[in-house]
Amino acid sequence: MSRITIDPITRLEGHGKIEIFLDKEGNVENAYLQIPELRGFEQFSVGRPAEEMPRITNRICGVCPEAHHMAGTKALDALFDIEPAPVVKKIREMFYNSFYCTDHTVHFYALGGPDFVIGPDGPPAERNVLGVIHKVGLEIGGQVIACRKRNHEVIQWLGGRGVHPVAGLPGGWSVAVTEEMRQKIEAIAKENVAFALFSLKLFEDVVLANKAYVDLILSDAYAHRTYYMGTVDENNHLNFYDGMIRVTDPEGKEFVKYEAKDYMKHVAEHVEPWSYLKFPYLKNIGWKGFTDGMDSGVYCATPLSRLNAADGMATPKAQEFFEKFYETLGSKKVKGRYQPVHARLATHWARLVELLYAAERMLELATDPEITDPHVRPIVTNTPTEGVGCVEAPRGTLTHHYKTDEKGILTRVNLIVGTTNNNAPIAMSIKKAAQGLIKKGVEVTEPILNMIEMAFRNYDPCMSCATHSLPGQMPLEVTIRDADGEVIEVVSQFVQ
Amino acid sequence: MKTLIVGLGNPILTDDGVGVKVAYAVEEALRRNPFSDRKRVSKDDLTITEASVGGLRLMEMMIGYDRVILIDAIMRHNGHKPGDIFRLSTHDLREISLTQHNASAHDTTLATALEVAERMGQPLPKEVIIFAVEVEEIFVFSDEPTPAVAAAIPKVAKMVLEEIFKT
């Protein structure tokens, strides 16, 4: 069997490699994403006081510390069996939506954007955030930086620290919102709404107006008919902070809706001998391999999945764009629900719809009369036993599960991080793209590698989940081996 | 001179957090040895912090400072031993970072991020100095670095202190 490896050549932040195995004919037989395992997190945590977890787990990942902090804090609510006051929930949700405004912005403009703004087969020297700024203009680049800066300020005010928040307490939040702070946050949220609307307009002008891009988005090479997971409120509208976990089937019908604490009844993890990764799947359907369709337990948890799993958006402008999203991509309404969009590249657009929702929801909360209630720190009196906390991380449903002794010392810890939900779909997407692009006699070039990379980039995979050693990059190198394992060609994505 | 010192890395991933530990050592040394006879930097001018971020978010932290000193882990795999210390510039960083594209799946390189800020006309530090320590283990959760890396911490802290007060 021949083997192609897309492999980083040095140890780097969040490195992974793509391995593509060819059959004797020279066609793609299998493709895997390999990520090194970070070991010993449970051992590290066991024996520590549970209330340290929101501060420890936000160190797991340098990309979304806020998501781990929030899931950890909610797990403490459950562990100490204390229902947060409405003001606590509102401050947390406002903080969390501000974080979404930073995270979704950077993905669209710096990471996913280059493929569309510059073009998937554009010169690699330009296909990056600098190229995007060159193309869309300095003023827009300035707006991106300003959006992140103002929301990082909100995160610092409300989270107690700029990068790794510390404000989460069991049943509480250590920072109350003053009227002065509220006014500033309201102004920032309004700017966020305007920026999100602008970004959606930019997407229409640059991507949707270009038929080649729309064809690419809707092409079969980037489609999988899987189940979809997302968190919904009592009206089955999307919520990032809290709600029930809802799973819809590939035809758009609700498959199950459950409370976060019951996740083990619904999700199981498959292991493969070739990977450290676990592949979560729907327990009540079963693991049928890396395949899609109604009979396969593979599900997906991404911005696209959250839209597919919800009936709509809880804020008015985001709802308008939600409808436009489905109408434009050819989805029909069946029994009042849009049928799911299976085109994975549409995730980039879904992410912008979510950006608008995050901005609108932040504004709603900033103008909520209750938000300045100072009673944010309750006294904990219950003996802890076990708790599950769940939020929608930008990259998927994030679950923290802690067990402790009666003194609150951790005895068990289990986490399912956002990207992990998508391990199977990512593997499937890479394989499908590789099968479509690498065929006997076709030269493997940089644009082809990039098209394969695009298949997993739309998931916004967070493989770093911790390390930041210099130089912090993910170059790709493909080694093509013949049937005897001899290197016959090396293709590199490097720009010299 | 407004100076920012950032210890980078994950403090609970064995050697990855060496930069964070150096930053704490620098802070502690300054606490014991106040600023009285120092000329170039006053206490108010100096910010010492830690962060487990890279690329864009790190660049955003640097805006508005005259000088930034970063301390981070590095793994170069080309004959260097754990605990080896490198003093690098952003130019060196670009030499190491061969590609501008996709620093990680969710970030750009620092060199690219700084270039973005420069084009945006953001007030960037005139001096960026990077101290990097060659590391051994970054895949296992632990708050204790390996011996060779632990031994480098006081050495790097001393180098950072000299850098701060260099005239």
Side-chain angles (χ1 to χ4, degrees):
Chain A
M1 189 191 291
S2 301
R3 178 174 181 176
I4 297 175
T5 307
I6 302 182
D7 192 8
I9 57 167
T10 51
R11 156 68 192 98
L12 304 155
E13 174 185 31
H15 79 155
K17 61 180 177 180
I18 295 172
E19 295 214 60
I20 300 165
F21 294 84
L22 305 184
D23 60 19
K24 283 184 186 140
E25 309 298 313
N27 295 317
V28 174
E29 187 170 283
N30 247 319
Y32 303 121
L33 176 65
Q34 305 267 34
I35 297 169
E37 185 196 29
L38 299 176
R39 300 180 301 273
F41 184 71
E42 178 155 0
Q43 278 165 280
F44 181 83
S45 308
V46 165
R48 293 173 190 268
E51 62 268 28
E52 285 185 10
M53 289 306 273
R55 297 189 299 273
I56 291 175
T57 54
N58 75 17
R59 298 292 188 169
I60 294 175
C61 175
V63 174
C64 54
E66 292 85 355
H68 280 291
H69 187 68
M70 199 57 82
T73 301
K74 287 183 69 183
L76 293 186
D77 296 345
L79 181 72
F80 290 96
D81 193 19
I82 178 165
E83 176 73 14
V87 60
V88 169
K89 290 184 182 175
K90 285 173 185 172
I91 295 173
R92 288 179 185 176
E93 191 180 351
M94 187 164 73
F95 163 90
Y96 202 56
N97 278 287
S98 184
F99 156 64
Y100 256 84
C101 290
T102 68
D103 201 273
H104 274 7
T105 298
V106 77
H107 189 275
F108 177 67
Y109 285 95
L111 306 167
D115 289 323
F116 292 102
V117 179
I118 309 300
D121 52 0
E126 291 168 27
R127 203 197 314 118
N128 55 53
V129 59
L130 291 166
V132 171
I133 288 168
H134 181 70
K135 185 111 180 246
V136 301
L138 283 178
E139 193 212 336
I140 295 173
Q143 284 195 43
V144 174
I145 287 185
C147 172
R148 283 176 56 81
K149 184 169 184 294
R150 63 178 176 259
N151 287 290
H152 283 154
E153 282 173 2
V154 175
I155 289 166
Q156 180 154 8
W157 297 333
L158 297 179
R161 278 180 61 166
V163 175
H164 302 285
V166 292
L169 301 169
W173 193 255
S174 69
V175 182
V177 176
T178 62
E179 176 55 24
E180 187 193 356
M181 202 192 281
R182 190 203 66 73
Q183 285 176 16
K184 285 193 214 160
I185 295 171
E186 182 184 346
I188 286 170
K190 282 180 180 158
E191 288 183 89
N192 289 347
V193 172
F195 181 70
L197 287 167
F198 167 81
S199 301
L200 280 156
K201 174 81 169 56
L202 186 74
F203 189 86
E204 281 178 29
D205 294 348
V206 173
V207 182
L208 299 179
N210 186 329
K211 186 173 180 302
Y213 288 166
V214 177
D215 290 347
L216 181 70
I217 288 172
L218 293 175
S219 71
D220 184 58
Y222 292 105
H224 295 285
R225 298 175 54 82
T226 61
Y227 286 76
Y228 297 102
M229 177 183 283
T231 301
V232 292
D233 65 15
E234 62 281 9
N235 300 315
N236 285 328
H237 290 149
L238 170 62
N239 193 289
F240 297 137
Y241 168 71
D242 204 15
M244 301 273 281
I245 312 295
R246 190 187 205 200
V247 178
T248 53
D249 73 21
E251 286 170 7
K253 287 194 285 296
E254 180 177 299
F255 172 67
V256 66
K257 192 156 82 169
Y258 60 90
E259 287 186 52
K261 69 177 172 56
D262 295 329
Y263 78 101
M264 287 176 90
K265 290 183 195 157
H266 301 281
V267 174
E269 293 181 316
H270 172 78
V271 287
E272 284 279 328
W274 47 268
S275 179
Y276 291 115
L277 295 179
K278 289 173 178 165
F279 299 91
Y281 63 96
L282 298 169
K283 210 173 185 172
N284 299 322
I285 293 181
W287 176 261
K288 309 282 163 58
F290 293 90
T291 181
D292 60 5
M294 288 291 272
D295 300 330
S296 167
V298 171
Y299 69 92
C300 191
T302 60
L304 174 68
S305 312
R306 287 190 286 252
L307 263 53
N308 281 340
D311 288 353
M313 307 300 276
T315 57
K317 291 193 183 78
Q319 175 62 24
E320 276 175 40
F321 279 90
F322 177 90
E323 287 167 21
K324 189 169 190 175
F325 175 90
Y326 284 98
E327 299 282 344
T328 307
L329 296 175
S331 163
K332 300 271 181 310
K333 260 190 175 177
V334 175
K335 292 183 183 164
R337 284 197 90 240
Y338 283 106
Q339 289 191 301
V341 165
H342 299 293
R344 291 297 191 253
L345 293 182
T347 307
H348 295 292
W349 192 9
R351 197 171 279 117
L352 292 179
V353 177
E354 286 196 338
L355 174 67
L356 178 57
Y357 162 70
E360 284 190 293
R361 183 72 187 128
M362 187 181 165
L363 181 58
E364 279 180 1
L365 291 160
T367 50
D368 188 303
E370 205 172 23
I371 199 84
T372 48
D373 180 343
H375 302 101
V376 294
R377 301 183 72 144
I379 304 291
V380 175
T381 53
N382 294 324
T383 305
T385 50
E386 183 172 0
V388 176
C390 202
V391 291
E392 285 298 325
R395 281 148 283 277
T397 314
L398 170 64
T399 307
H400 282 210
H401 185 176
Y402 312 149
K403 284 186 191 172
T404 68
D405 65 15
E406 74 287 355
K407 290 182 175 153
I409 302 298
L410 289 157
T411 55
R412 287 244 24 214
V413 172
N414 186 36
L415 311 181
I416 299 180
V417 302
T419 294
T420 297
N421 294 291
N422 302 314
N423 282 342
I426 290 172
M428 286 156 55
S429 289
I430 291 168
K431 182 178 171 183
K432 198 164 181 183
Q435 280 175 330
L437 293 158
I438 298 177
K439 292 216 160 63
K440 190 183 180 183
V442 173
E443 193 192 347
V444 180
T445 57
E446 195 279 337
I448 284 183
L449 289 185
N450 187 54
M451 300 279 272
I452 295 169
E453 232 192 291
M454 277 173 72
F456 79 92
R457 196 178 301 137
N458 84 81
Y459 292 92
D460 189 13
C462 181
M463 302 179 293
S464 61
C465 264
T467 61
H468 288 272
S469 295
L470 287 167
Q473 58 163 330
M474 192 170 111
L476 296 174
E477 190 175 73
V478 177
T479 307
I480 303 173
R481 295 171 195 271
D482 64 16
D484 302 323
E486 295 294 314
V487 176
I488 49 172
E489 194 182 347
V490 176
V491 185
S492 166
Q493 196 192 306
F494 285 173
V495 182
Q496 298 297 337
Chain B
M1 179 183 253
K2 228 177 138 207
T3 300
L4 173 72
I5 296 168
V6 192
L8 289 166
N10 186 334
I12 59 168
L13 212 55
T14 313
D15 292 341
D16 193 65
V18 61
V20 177
K21 292 191 166 63
V22 170
Y24 277 114
V26 169
E27 195 171 38
E28 175 63 17
L30 288 172
R31 200 178 58 75
R32 280 186 277 113
N33 245 332
F35 286 74
S36 54
D37 57 341
R38 315 293 193 182
K39 285 179 188 157
R40 199 183 179 206
V41 179
S42 76
K43 193 171 185 204
D44 295 340
D45 278 346
L46 190 65
T47 306
I48 304 178
T49 188
E50 53 159 318
S52 305
V53 296
L56 293 165
R57 197 146 178 186
L58 179 57
M59 171 273 280
E60 288 162 346
M61 287 174 74
M62 292 162 69
I63 289 172
Y65 286 91
D66 300 313
R67 177 174 62 160
V68 173
I69 301 172
L70 304 174
I71 311 118
D72 201 356
I74 193 166
M75 206 177 231
R76 295 174 87 168
H77 286 319
N78 42 358
H80 300 295
K81 293 191 302 295
D84 283 358
I85 301 163
F86 309 92
R87 186 184 186 283
L88 306 170
S89 66
T90 44
H91 177 74
D92 297 325
L93 218 53
R94 188 165 282 292
E95 295 290 303
I96 302 170
S97 309
L98 293 167
T99 172
Q100 299 176 347
H101 186 47
N102 259 26
S104 77
H106 196 87
D107 209 340
T108 72
T109 63
L110 178 61
T112 302
L114 288 171
E115 205 173 324
V116 169
E118 201 178 318
R119 290 206 197 166
M120 300 286 95
Q122 298 289 321
L124 284 178
K126 286 175 268 313
E127 269 184 82
V128 179
I129 303 126
I130 301 147
F131 289 101
V133 181
E134 184 77 17
V135 292
E136 191 176 347
E137 176 58 76
I138 49 172
F139 292 118
V140 173
F141 284 99
S142 164
D143 44 15
E144 293 295 324
T146 58
V149 171
I153 292 169
K155 293 182 207 161
V156 187
K158 190 160 172 279
M159 290 166 83
V160 173
L161 285 162
E162 282 167 8
E163 191 70 49
I164 294 172
F165 298 115
K166 181 168 86 175
T167 49

